[in-house]
Amino acid sequence: MAYDEGLAHRLGESLGGLPGISEKKMFGGIAFLWNGNMLVGVMGDGLIARVGPEAQEDALVQPGARVFDFTGRPMKGWVVVDGAAVSEDEALDDWIARCRDFVEALPPK
């Protein structure tokens, strides 16, 4: 499956200055890990956002967000955001911040 390389590039640009960021091919797309924990990614034309279980309900009411159901089993604490909903840098930065709030508290892998 191809993924939106433009969105991946924008994520890389936004996360480039954050220590501990790495990239990994996952889900047929690309994931950005922070200290070994997945933070965000791109699958198809959507943003994969790891917001955590406590923030998932709020995340799902945001424009373009839906449950991340890659395997037929919804992943708790994760959402997919339509690429159109993160076409503006401000919207993308908001999703990155949501994900950082959760992943920052996780122990490094």
Side-chain angles (χ1 to χ4, degrees), residues 46-81:
L47 172 74
I48 303 168
R50 186 177 188 186
V51 296
E54 309 252 328
Q56 186 173 16
E57 189 175 316
D58 180 60
L60 287 171
V61 300
Q62 303 306 312
R66 65 183 185 278
V67 172
F68 182 28
D69 186 358
F70 179 64
T71 63
R73 244 179 85 202
M75 293 182 66
K76 193 172 189 175
W78 301 69
V79 299
V80 177
V81 184

Side-chain angles (χ1 to χ4, degrees), residues 1-108:
M1 170 189 289
Y3 62 90
D4 184 336
E5 292 184 19
L7 179 54
H9 177 76
R10 289 175 56 220
L11 282 171
E13 290 280 310
S14 292
L15 297 169
L18 190 61
I21 287 290
S22 60
E23 295 179 25
K24 185 176 184 179
K25 299 271 184 183
M26 295 176 81
F27 308 118
I30 191 161
F32 292 84
L33 293 83
W34 189 18
N35 297 319
N37 293 295
M38 187 173 162
L39 178 67
V40 292
V42 181
M43 185 175 72
D45 67 350
L47 172 74
I48 303 168
R50 186 177 188 186
V51 296
E54 309 252 328
Q56 186 173 16
E57 189 175 316
D58 180 60
L60 287 171
V61 300
Q62 303 306 312
R66 65 183 185 278
V67 172
F68 182 28
D69 186 358
F70 179 64
T71 63
R73 244 179 85 202
M75 293 182 66
K76 193 172 189 175
W78 301 69
V79 299
V80 177
V81 184
D82 293 333
V86 291
S87 62
E88 299 294 325
D89 289 343
E90 186 176 337
L92 184 61
D93 290 343
D94 178 61
W95 278 105
I96 291 170
R98 287 171 180 270
C99 296
R100 284 186 63 180
D101 285 346
F102 175 70
V103 175
E104 189 169 36
L106 299 175

